[in-house]
């Protein structure tokens, strides 16, 4: 028997409490990939779901074992760890990431592949007609602005997970072993010929977004601190400005008191307290920022295992 052709495509899907979406996802995704008539695999990572997601994935694995692989985490490690675990195991030449909630229609995958085959090693999707809350859209606008100003990553829509990568980009990500890293941005920095395509966006088919406001803040803080030292530098500049302002203020107060002989009763105390509080708050922001970098360094130095796999359902290649 001749050995089978190499796997062309690996589709990577993180799954966290998606029992209501999985049946429809299976129903739409497999036909799209079957129609490509090229060898493919789909890797689902069950990110510690508390619902029946894993049972559904197991059933799907039993139905299509030749193209389905399931990584089962023992607990919830977050979307990016779930994607990383799959990246470490992909067999395909091209890797596509996709959300399980059908916000990115699987029917758009061929569009990404076409772009990849025209010679790009990274194809980012950006959402046409974005179907998210007004708050999420404005938050994204703000974040995009900050990212553009602080890093040199060009990305129309960093929140869109429908993306395609050539294998070497994924290998570079895995080798970098980064913790909590924003995968699309990291991939972008490793690519040599990036491109973007517009993809349709749909409302979450069922369930609610797994991202709370707090998690979004964390993710974006991660993005900025993970790719640039701009926050530290901006802070230093800001602190210098504040120091200069405080000095000037003290000068003005002294001037009023001793040259014009004003403010005899109230001179000093209250104003200096105000200045002091302000400076203390500036110092605290700075300590927090430094803490962020120190924390990241600590995580990398400690090199703790980032996730724990309970079980993998797959057939040998
Ligand atoms: N997800 C995950 N682990 C988590 C949170 C989310 O694997 O801790 C998965 C989730 O199942 C979905 C994708 O990541 O496939 C995107 O999540 P979600 O739809 O909640 O994010 P949003 O679309 O609101 O950005
Ligand atoms: Mg979603």
């Amino acid at each position: 028997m001749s050995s089978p052709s190499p796997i062309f495509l690996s589709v990577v899907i993180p799954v966290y409490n998606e029992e209501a979406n999985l049946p429809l996802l299976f129903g739409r995704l497999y036909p799209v990939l079957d129609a490509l008539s090229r060898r493919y695999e789909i890797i689902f990572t069950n990110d510690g779901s508390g619902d029946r997601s894993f049972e559904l994935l197991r059933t799907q694995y039993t139905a299509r074992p030749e193209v389905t692989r399931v990584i089962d985490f023992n607990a919830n490690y977050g979307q990016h760890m779930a994607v990383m675990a799959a990246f470490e195991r992909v067999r395909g030449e091209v890797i596509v990431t996709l959300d399980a909630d059908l916000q990115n229609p699987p029917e758009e995958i061929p569009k990404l592949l076409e772009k990849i085959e025209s010679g790009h090693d990274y194809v980012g999707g950006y959402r046409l007609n974005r179907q998210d809350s007004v708050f999420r859209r404005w938050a994204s606008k703000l974040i995009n602005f900050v990212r553009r100003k602080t890093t040199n990553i060009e990305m129309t829509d960093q929140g869109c997970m429908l993306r395609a990568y050539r294998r070497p980009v994924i290998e570079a990500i895995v080798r970098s072993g980064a913790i909590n890293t924003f995968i699309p941005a990291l991939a972008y920095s490793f690519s040599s010929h990036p491109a973007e395509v517009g993809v349709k966006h749909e409302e979450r088919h069922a369930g609610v977004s797994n991202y709370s406001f707090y998690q979004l803040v964390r993710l974006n803080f991660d993005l900025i601190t993970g790719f640039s030292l701009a926050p530290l530098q901006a802070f230093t500049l800001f602190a210098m400005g504040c120091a200069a302002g405080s000095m000037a203020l003290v000068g003005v107060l002294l001037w009023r008191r001793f040259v014009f002989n004003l403010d005899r009763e109230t001179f000093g105390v209250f104003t200096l307290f105000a200045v002091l509080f302000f400076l203390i708050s500036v110092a605290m922001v700075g300590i927090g920022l430094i803490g962020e970098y120190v924390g990241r360094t600590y995580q990398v130095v400690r090199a703790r295992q980032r996730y724990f796999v309970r079980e993998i359902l797959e057939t040998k290649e």
Side-chain angles (χ1 to χ4, degrees):
M1 210 178 89
S2 66
S3 62
S5 58
I7 294 177
F8 168 65
L9 173 66
S10 296
V11 178
V12 167
I13 308 181
V15 176
Y16 180 60
N17 292 344
E18 302 282 8
E19 62 178 1
N21 293 317
L22 287 176
L24 193 66
L25 175 70
F26 297 153
R28 283 173 60 180
L29 179 62
Y30 283 79
V32 170
L33 299 183
D34 288 333
L36 294 173
S37 28
R38 307 184 72 159
R39 269 192 86 194
Y40 72 87
E41 63 174 7
I42 307 177
I43 310 181
F44 296 97
T45 307
N46 175 39
D47 188 15
S49 300
D51 64 0
R52 292 183 50 255
S53 296
F54 185 63
E55 280 84 276
L56 295 176
L57 291 172
R58 187 190 286 280
T59 312
Q60 183 62 21
Y61 171 72
T62 321
R64 298 291 305 272
E66 79 292 1
V67 290
T68 311
R69 299 165 71 188
V70 182
I71 302 169
D72 186 29
F73 279 180
N74 69 320
N76 180 245
Y77 292 93
Q79 180 183 357
H80 288 258
M81 272 305 113
V83 170
M84 280 299 245
F87 279 180
E88 286 166 12
R89 294 168 172 82
V90 290
R91 296 168 179 160
E93 279 313 304
V94 177
I95 291 89
V96 166
T97 53
L98 187 75
D99 283 351
D101 60 5
L102 291 162
Q103 284 196 284
N104 322 121
E107 292 78 14
E108 299 285 58
I109 292 176
K111 209 193 247 179
L112 296 179
L113 295 179
E114 209 175 283
K115 205 70 180 176
I116 283 276
E117 299 219 277
S118 74
H120 297 280
D121 57 354
Y122 167 103
V123 179
Y126 58 89
R127 292 166 286 190
L128 306 166
N129 71 321
R130 184 162 173 195
Q131 304 290 321
D132 267 325
S133 66
V134 176
F135 162 72
R136 281 289 289 269
R137 285 205 296 269
W138 276 96
S140 294
K141 281 216 177 79
L142 177 70
I143 288 154
N144 272 329
F145 175 79
V146 175
R147 193 208 56 242
R148 264 202 311 280
K149 295 287 172 212
T150 57
T151 68
N152 48 13
I153 295 168
E154 268 312 317
M155 207 178 282
T156 310
D157 182 1
Q158 62 173 29
C160 183
M161 282 310 281
L162 186 54
R163 288 167 193 278
Y165 314 94
R166 281 265 173 205
R167 179 71 168 268
V169 173
I170 297 302
E171 281 167 358
I173 292 180
V174 170
R175 266 198 310 276
S176 78
I179 295 188
N180 293 340
T181 299
F182 195 74
I183 287 168
L186 193 58
Y188 184 93
S189 64
F190 291 142
S191 70
S192 41
H193 201 22
E196 291 197 321
V197 291
V199 291
K200 284 206 210 67
H201 192 228
E202 294 174 8
E203 236 163 304
R204 206 172 210 293
H205 170 65
V208 287
S209 168
N210 293 303
Y211 278 101
S212 63
F213 173 71
Y214 172 71
Q215 282 171 311
L216 278 181
V217 170
R218 285 262 0 122
L219 179 66
N220 288 289
F221 211 67
D222 220 62
L223 177 62
I224 304 298
T225 55
F227 285 87
S228 85
L229 291 176
L232 271 183
Q233 288 147 0
F235 168 72
T236 312
L237 282 177
F238 180 63
M240 281 161 67
C242 288
S246 313
M247 295 291 276
L249 188 58
V250 171
V252 170
L253 289 173
L254 289 174
W255 183 271
R256 282 171 64 90
R257 175 64 184 83
F258 295 111
V259 178
F260 296 108
N261 211 16
L262 296 166
D263 305 337
R264 197 185 298 272
E265 264 79 67
T266 57
F267 175 71
V269 179
F270 293 110
T271 334
L272 283 179
F273 259 110
V275 172
L276 194 63
F277 286 154
F278 185 60
L279 289 180
I280 289 173
S281 62
V282 170
M284 288 178 71
V285 174
I287 291 169
L289 268 174
I290 292 167
E292 178 75 15
Y293 288 102
V294 173
R296 301 179 68 84
T297 314
Y298 170 62
Q299 282 183 311
V300 174
V301 168
R302 183 176 57 173
R304 174 184 290 174
Q305 187 167 329
R306 292 167 298 161
Y307 57 80
F308 184 81
V309 174
R310 192 155 47 186
E311 186 180 1
I312 300 185
L313 309 178
E314 65 183 8
T315 37
K316 290 272 165 297
E317 203 173 357

